[in-house]
Amino acid sequence: MNPRGWLLSGLVAAAAVGATVLWHFDPHQAGNPLPPCPSLWLTGLFCPGCGTTRALHALLHGDLPGALAMNPLMVLSLPPVALLLAQALDVLPVSLQPLARRLGNARAWAIVVIGYAVLRNLPWPPFSWLAPGGFG
């Protein structure tokens, strides 16, 4: 198997393990084995990833509104990230290559992620709705 095949196999295996864990453990329940956000614990501020575990749990259980309430940026970025991953693994159809090149702009992603991190920590609506569980 070539290196890309190993990488793809490893990613699929990691995703399967993660999905299995999130299917069986509810991150909303006290005493679950899933780790809390270290950034929130250290700073008291929501990082761009805060709520991702709960959002993925909600998605696995078919709860799109619940997932969006936990981390809307993560949920909305899943399709573009999947497209970029397919491009990186050389399995993206040629017809989608121009879109992937546009979505691969690191500066744009940095602006969105940093802006999201700042806005979701503002204490008033509509920005407070970006906090995990803030809208839902």
Side-chain angles (χ1 to χ4, degrees):
M1 188 181 294
N2 65 26
R4 285 192 199 280
W6 282 108
L7 179 60
L8 184 56
S9 297
L11 288 172
V12 168
V17 168
T20 301
V21 168
L22 282 176
W23 181 262
H24 291 291
F25 295 104
D26 185 352
H28 294 281
Q29 299 299 318
N32 74 71
L34 303 168
C37 176
S39 176
L40 181 62
W41 180 75
L42 285 170
T43 66
L45 298 172
F46 298 119
C47 74
C50 278
T52 295
T53 303
R54 290 174 283 168
L56 290 172
H57 177 268
L59 282 177
L60 281 172
H61 290 272
D63 182 9
L64 181 59
L68 287 167
M70 289 298 121
N71 192 321
L73 180 63
M74 186 281 304
V75 174
L76 296 173
S77 68
L78 284 176
V81 168
L83 191 97
L84 291 171
L85 182 60
Q87 180 190 35
L89 293 171
D90 279 338
V91 295
L92 187 67
V94 175
S95 62
L96 294 176
Q97 292 290 339
L99 177 59
R101 278 192 291 280
R102 283 187 175 182
L103 290 173
N105 183 341
R107 285 188 196 142
W109 282 94
I111 291 167
V112 168
V113 170
I114 291 168
Y116 178 69
V118 170
L119 293 176
R120 75 188 319 213
N121 283 288
L122 297 176
W124 54 87
F127 307 112
S128 60
W129 298 342
L130 297 173
F135 192 84

